[in-house]
Amino acid sequence: GDDQKAAVTAFQTAMTQAISTRRTAIDTAIQNFQIGIAKIMADRKAAVEDAIVKAKTDFDGALVKAKADCAAGVKPATIRQNMLAAVKNGKTKSEAARKTQETFKTEFEKLKNARKAAFEKAHSDFRAAVEKAKTDLKAAMGNPPTPTSTTQ
């Protein structure tokens, strides 16, 4: 009678709520992942551009200095040594940009793992909510709850 109708309505409400909760959790996980990716990509881009600008500025400065030293009669060996040091310094800055790439990879893995964990929790919570709704419905209908497997 009315008790059974109420039980079915409660079951439908519980199922709707479980689906909505799972959808919200997954949407939030996806959004957090996308925001995180955008941030680490922007950070990487800024770091690489900064390294390029610094390396070019250093190289251009070394070139100007080499020309000035040459005009001032500085020994060619000294000019060459200074130029090689500037180039080496530029490579060190490029190395810093490569380290930024490693940081990007590490952060990307963290974001992927967080998203995966959020998905797994959303699905696990959903399965638990479905089992509870089934158990409540069976109890309301006068059937004793039977244990069911939630492993999939």
Side-chain angles (χ1 to χ4, degrees):
D2 288 342
D3 287 349
Q4 289 181 335
K5 283 182 185 174
V8 169
T9 302
F11 176 77
Q12 289 171 331
T13 302
M15 291 302 297
T16 301
Q17 181 61 43
I19 291 167
S20 174
T21 299
R22 178 180 63 177
R23 183 176 297 127
T24 300
I26 288 176
D27 288 350
T28 300
I30 290 169
Q31 184 179 21
N32 290 343
F33 178 77
Q34 290 171 338
I35 290 168
I37 291 294
K39 182 191 180 312
I40 64 174
M41 286 178 73
D43 290 351
R44 177 179 66 176
K45 183 174 187 257
V48 169
E49 287 173 354
D50 187 49
I52 290 169
V53 168
K54 283 181 180 167
K56 182 171 177 5
T57 302
D58 290 353
F59 182 79
D60 290 349
L63 206 54
V64 168
K65 182 175 177 356
K67 287 177 183 176
D69 286 353
C70 195
V74 175
K75 286 191 255 165
T78 304
I79 295 170
R80 183 175 181 278
Q81 203 170 16
N82 291 342
M83 196 64 192
L84 286 174
V87 168
K88 187 175 180 185
N89 188 27
K91 283 184 180 176
T92 302
K93 289 183 178 168
S94 296
E95 193 59 42
R98 267 192 287 285
K99 285 185 182 143
T100 300
Q101 178 63 19
E102 289 305 312
T103 301
F104 175 85
K105 287 178 185 174
T106 302
E107 292 302 312
F108 180 73
E109 283 304 313
K110 285 182 191 173
L111 288 167
K112 277 189 355 188
N113 292 338
R115 179 185 62 180
K116 183 176 185 241
F119 280 11
E120 288 170 356
K121 182 178 181 334
H123 292 304
S124 171
D125 290 352
F126 175 75
R127 285 191 295 273
V130 168
E131 285 304 315
K132 182 183 180 328
K134 283 184 191 175
T135 301
D136 291 350
L137 180 62
K138 285 180 183 176
M141 295 295 205
N143 298 337
T146 56
T148 57
S149 173
T150 57
T151 55
Q152 290 180 334

